[in-house]
Amino acid sequence: MAQGSDEFRLVEEPIDLPAMISAAHRPDCGAVDVFIGTTRVDESNGANVERLEYEAYRPMADMKLEEIGAEIRARWDVRHVAITHRLGPVGPGEASVAIVVASPRRGAAFEASRYAIERIKEIVPIWKREIWSDGYVWVGSQVGTRPES
Amino acid sequence: MAQGSDEFRLVEEPIDLPAMISAAHRPDCGAVDVFIGTTRVDESNGANVERLEYEAYRPMADMKLEEIGAEIRARWDVRHVAITHRLGPVGPGEASVAIVVASPRRGAAFEASRYAIERIKEIVPIWKREIWSDGYVWVGSQVGTRPES
């Protein structure tokens, strides 16, 4: 279960980064690390990624985000952890995931934030579909309609 | 000299984090790391830190922030680096320094951001004075009017 001000969310609207960051400013902490995963537009064969779409298997995804929060609390002295992952279509350069960690010490803030994004990719059932100008690709599974390069 | 959208600033007002973060969202990047140093309120002997004050030797400090940006550009594939350090009084829990790094890859974003804060503490002539309820301390120099504990 989430502790104190911790928050773990899946949202279908743009991620409210200023609100997430404000919630992490605490007088008992000296460091906040924020990691933002954004949609990178790759190009190949003259085609390019037009947008990404994220789908999740809920409520497993919600539960796994909370589990990552608990793992972080057990490993580092952190006083606030929040993770928001966006679902549905996300435009180029927009945030698909945001992690905010506050700790008395900067080393813990950096390490916990890095740990969170690696664990999200490992255990949270969220899939990304790249919509290219000439088809789509499910990232990871390599199933899709795009021509092979 | 600062490259592209890079920005290095010393400011006497609150740091505008939303503006710094918006400037780092780029379609050629998949990761943004934001590190925020905040004023931690320690307590000892029944006294507590009421606020912090930062002073800089300018323009040396400006030049050193740009130098750190150049070091990062030389070491990692980053596409945007911004550092803002606040000067003057800063209240409990408020941001005194913010670092924003965007990179195609998350490893580079985390490493460059961590490097930046370590280098700021090493080479940028900025000093912190802790104003306690019973006196003050220049952090680092241990010179001040607070009673020894």
Side-chain angles (χ1 to χ4, degrees):
Chain A
M1 230 188 64
Q3 289 186 51
S5 59
D6 291 3
E7 197 168 40
F8 305 96
R9 297 179 68 206
L10 297 169
V11 300
E12 303 201 357
E13 65 278 8
I15 297 174
D16 187 348
L17 286 166
M20 285 183 75
I21 294 172
S22 294
H25 282 61
R26 299 168 50 98
D28 62 349
C29 287
V32 176
D33 191 74
V34 181
F35 176 79
I36 306 161
T38 55
T39 54
R40 193 177 71 217
V41 177
D42 289 326
E43 290 189 25
S44 78
N45 294 341
N48 62 282
V49 173
E50 293 185 344
R51 66 179 197 281
L52 298 178
E53 285 183 4
Y54 291 87
E55 293 190 13
Y57 176 64
R58 309 176 69 163
M60 177 68 89
D62 296 278
M63 210 179 68
K64 289 292 177 186
L65 290 180
E66 293 212 5
E67 195 176 308
I68 293 168
E71 289 176 2
I72 287 171
R73 288 279 193 169
R75 280 170 175 74
W76 289 279
D77 178 12
V78 302
R79 310 291 170 90
H80 178 82
V81 185
I83 302 174
T84 302
H85 204 299
R86 191 166 166 188
L87 299 178
V90 180
E94 287 185 38
S96 55
V97 59
I99 297 158
V100 179
V101 178
S103 171
R105 307 278 167 194
R106 63 185 181 274
F110 278 115
E111 288 167 23
S113 178
R114 175 98 197 236
Y115 178 86
I117 185 65
E118 303 301 339
R119 288 296 275 164
I120 287 168
K121 290 176 185 284
E122 278 171 19
I123 68 165
V124 183
I126 295 177
W127 299 274
K128 176 168 75 172
R129 188 162 66 149
E130 292 181 351
I131 318 294
W132 289 69
S133 43
D134 61 352
Y136 70 87
V137 179
W138 280 104
V139 175
S141 68
Q142 304 306 317
V143 176
T145 67
R146 262 202 95 218
E148 294 282 327
S149 48
Chain B
M1 228 187 66
Q3 289 185 51
S5 59
D6 290 3
E7 196 168 42
F8 306 96
R9 299 178 67 204
L10 297 169
V11 300
E12 303 201 357
E13 66 277 8
I15 297 174
D16 187 348
L17 286 165
M20 286 184 75
I21 294 172
S22 293
H25 283 62
R26 299 167 50 97
D28 62 349
C29 287
V32 176
D33 191 73
V34 181
F35 177 78
I36 306 160
T38 55
T39 55
R40 193 176 71 217
V41 177
D42 289 325
E43 290 188 26
S44 78
N45 293 342
N48 62 283
V49 172
E50 293 185 343
R51 68 178 195 281
L52 298 179
E53 284 184 4
Y54 290 87
E55 292 191 13
Y57 176 63
R58 305 175 74 162
M60 177 69 88
D62 295 279
M63 210 180 67
K64 289 292 178 186
L65 290 181
E66 293 213 4
E67 195 176 307
I68 293 168
E71 289 175 1
I72 287 172
R73 287 279 193 169
R75 281 170 175 74
W76 290 279
D77 177 13
V78 302
R79 310 291 170 89
H80 178 81
V81 185
I83 303 174
T84 303
H85 205 298
R86 190 165 167 190
L87 300 179
V90 181
E94 287 185 37
S96 55
V97 60
I99 297 158
V100 179
V101 178
S103 170
R105 306 278 167 194
R106 62 185 181 274
F110 279 114
E111 288 167 21
S113 177
R114 175 97 196 237
Y115 178 86
I117 185 65
E118 303 300 339
R119 288 296 275 163
I120 287 168
K121 291 175 184 283
E122 276 171 20
I123 69 166
V124 183
I126 295 177
W127 299 275
K128 176 168 75 172
R129 187 161 67 149
E130 292 181 351
I131 318 295
W132 289 69
S133 41
D134 60 353
Y136 70 87
V137 180
W138 280 104
V139 175
S141 69
Q142 305 304 317
V143 176
T145 67
R146 264 203 95 219
E148 295 281 328
S149 49

Short mmCIF file of all heavy atoms in Angstrom, two decimals, chain A residues 1-4 6-8 66:
data_model
loop_
_atom_site.label_atom_id
_atom_site.label_comp_id
_atom_site.label_asym_id
_atom_site.label_seq_id
_atom_site.Cartn_x
_atom_site.Cartn_y
_atom_site.Cartn_z
N MET A 1 0.83 -1.21 0.00
CA MET A 1 0.00 0.00 0.00
C MET A 1 0.86 1.26 0.00
O MET A 1 1.94 1.27 0.60
CB MET A 1 -0.89 0.02 1.24
CG MET A 1 -2.36 0.29 0.94
SD MET A 1 -3.29 0.53 2.48
CE MET A 1 -2.57 2.01 3.17
N ALA A 2 0.40 2.30 -0.70
CA ALA A 2 1.17 3.55 -0.79
C ALA A 2 1.31 4.18 0.59
O ALA A 2 0.39 4.17 1.40
CB ALA A 2 0.47 4.51 -1.74
N GLN A 3 2.52 4.73 0.86
CA GLN A 3 2.79 5.37 2.16
C GLN A 3 2.67 6.88 2.06
O GLN A 3 3.10 7.46 1.06
CB GLN A 3 4.22 5.08 2.61
CG GLN A 3 4.47 3.64 3.03
CD GLN A 3 5.87 3.49 3.59
OE1 GLN A 3 6.30 4.24 4.45
NE2 GLN A 3 6.60 2.52 3.08
N GLY A 4 2.20 7.52 3.12
CA GLY A 4 2.19 8.97 3.23
C GLY A 4 1.64 9.65 2.00
O GLY A 4 0.52 9.39 1.56
N ASP A 6 2.80 9.34 -1.02
CA ASP A 6 3.12 8.60 -2.24
C ASP A 6 1.88 8.44 -3.14
O ASP A 6 0.76 8.31 -2.64
CB ASP A 6 3.67 7.21 -1.92
CG ASP A 6 5.05 7.28 -1.29
OD1 ASP A 6 5.55 8.40 -1.06
OD2 ASP A 6 5.63 6.21 -1.02
N GLU A 7 2.13 8.46 -4.45
CA GLU A 7 1.00 8.36 -5.38
C GLU A 7 1.41 7.62 -6.65
O GLU A 7 2.45 7.92 -7.23
CB GLU A 7 0.50 9.76 -5.74
CG GLU A 7 -0.88 9.76 -6.34
CD GLU A 7 -1.48 11.15 -6.42
OE1 GLU A 7 -0.74 12.11 -6.74
OE2 GLU A 7 -2.68 11.28 -6.16
N PHE A 8 0.58 6.67 -7.07
CA PHE A 8 0.85 5.84 -8.25
C PHE A 8 -0.38 5.86 -9.13
O PHE A 8 -1.45 5.43 -8.70
CB PHE A 8 1.20 4.41 -7.80
CG PHE A 8 2.34 4.42 -6.81
CD1 PHE A 8 2.08 4.38 -5.45
CD2 PHE A 8 3.64 4.55 -7.24
CE1 PHE A 8 3.12 4.44 -4.52
CE2 PHE A 8 4.69 4.61 -6.32
CZ PHE A 8 4.42 4.56 -4.96
N GLU A 66 2.52 0.32 -7.44
CA GLU A 66 2.60 0.41 -5.97
C GLU A 66 3.68 -0.50 -5.41
O GLU A 66 4.37 -0.16 -4.44
CB GLU A 66 1.25 0.05 -5.33
CG GLU A 66 0.17 1.07 -5.63
CD GLU A 66 -0.84 1.20 -4.50
OE1 GLU A 66 -0.66 0.57 -3.44
OE2 GLU A 66 -1.80 1.96 -4.68
#
